Amino acid sequence: MKKLKRADAAKAKKGRKTSAGRSKAAPRLTKRPAKPPRRGASGDDGAKDTVRATIRGLRTKLKEAQRRVAELEAAADTDFLLEIPNRRGFERELARAVAYMKRYRASGALIVLDVDRLKPINDSFGHGAGDEVLKAIAATLTRQVRASDVVGRLGGDEFALLLWNLSGIDAKAKAVAFEQAVDELSFVFRGQHVTAGASAGVALLGAQSDPGRALEEADAAMYVRKAQRRHEPRIRLVGS
């Protein structure tokens, strides 16, 4: 009996120790659930990226469209054969120059130059020969002017030159020099030597000038000069 009582007492004591140990042990921490991702966060970022990409694409297209417009405007103002300003482009440059002269009291000269014998050359040797003559004349005139000056083609066989800061005497001397330079050009078509020739008229430009009126004056002066040169042969063909 005593042994049983001792065994029961030991079990009871052991039980008390176990309970005490459990009560003294650190309480178990409950794992806190992770926060769910904020709704729409990844979707918003994707939408923003899409908008940015769209804006970049539109800007690229806008730059390309602006470049294309500039090319078309330049083409509209340029003679496709000679790669110099056509009438539209030259008249624009002339208007700008006159506006500048009016504001700053500058001066210049306008020279209209007409090829004397282009039509006979076209009739005798074809328009390909005439185009070669025009290209050579355009190159010759361009070489004899400054970077600030403008050489343009008004149409057909007529050229125009806008020259800055020239007196009346200097402008007329320059017109004669242009005539001589063109007169000295020589071409060979179908084994024959051909010269073209040119007549030039001058109109002075200043603060009181009108672009349209200046063109008319220079054109009229050119026809007077052409009449003076009519004694020269229309076209000279010499065996090679």
Side-chain angles (χ1 to χ4, degrees):
M1 291 295 292
K2 290 183 178 178
K3 290 183 178 179
L4 290 173
K5 289 181 179 178
R6 288 176 182 172
D8 292 339
K11 288 181 180 180
K13 187 176 181 180
K14 185 177 180 182
R16 286 195 297 271
K17 288 183 178 179
T18 303
S19 299
R22 286 178 181 172
S23 62
K24 290 181 181 179
R28 293 179 63 185
L29 297 176
T30 304
K31 187 176 181 182
R32 185 177 296 177
K35 289 184 178 181
R38 191 171 57 183
R39 280 188 184 179
S42 59
D44 290 345
D45 291 341
K48 289 178 180 178
D49 291 341
T50 302
V51 171
R52 293 191 189 102
T54 302
I55 292 173
R56 286 195 296 269
L58 290 175
R59 285 176 177 170
T60 301
K61 291 180 180 180
L62 177 60
K63 289 181 180 179
E64 177 63 21
Q66 290 173 336
R67 183 189 66 79
R68 183 58 179 158
V69 168
E71 288 179 353
L72 292 173
E73 288 180 345
D77 290 343
T78 303
D79 185 273
F80 73 95
L81 176 65
L82 306 181
E83 297 183 350
I84 59 176
N86 56 19
R87 175 179 284 274
R88 179 173 182 248
F90 185 84
E91 288 180 348
R92 177 176 296 179
E93 293 296 325
L94 179 60
R96 289 175 179 172
V98 170
Y100 180 92
M101 292 174 187
K102 288 180 178 179
R103 181 171 183 180
Y104 297 103
R105 300 294 175 181
S107 63
L110 172 64
I111 297 178
V112 171
L113 183 144
D114 189 81
V115 183
D116 288 332
R117 296 180 289 273
L118 184 65
K119 187 177 185 303
I121 292 174
N122 283 332
D123 293 343
S124 299
F125 305 105
H127 288 277
D131 290 347
E132 185 176 334
V133 172
L134 291 173
K135 289 179 181 178
I137 292 174
T140 299
L141 297 177
T142 302
R143 284 195 299 268
Q144 297 198 29
V145 300
R146 297 160 294 186
S148 58
D149 299 332
V150 181
V151 178
R153 182 187 182 189
L154 299 181
D157 54 2
E158 196 168 66
F159 292 82
L161 301 99
L162 170 61
L163 310 176
W164 287 89
N165 301 322
L166 286 181
S167 65
I169 295 176
D170 292 338
K172 290 179 180 179
K174 197 68 176 176
V176 172
F178 290 144
E179 288 180 347
Q180 291 175 349
V182 176
D183 288 345
E184 291 171 1
L185 293 175
S186 180
F187 307 89
V188 178
F189 300 124
R190 299 177 189 168
Q192 296 179 310
H193 289 273
V194 179
T195 60
S199 302
V202 179
L204 297 181
L205 299 174
Q208 306 302 320
S209 296
D210 174 82
R213 181 61 181 163
L215 273 172
E216 292 175 0
E217 290 177 1
D219 197 56
M222 179 271 295
Y223 278 107
V224 171
R225 177 61 177 158
K226 186 177 285 287
Q228 295 172 351
R229 289 167 58 92
R230 280 179 182 165
H231 65 279
E232 296 181 3
R234 290 275 177 183
I235 186 168
R236 187 173 66 217
L237 305 177
V238 183
S240 59

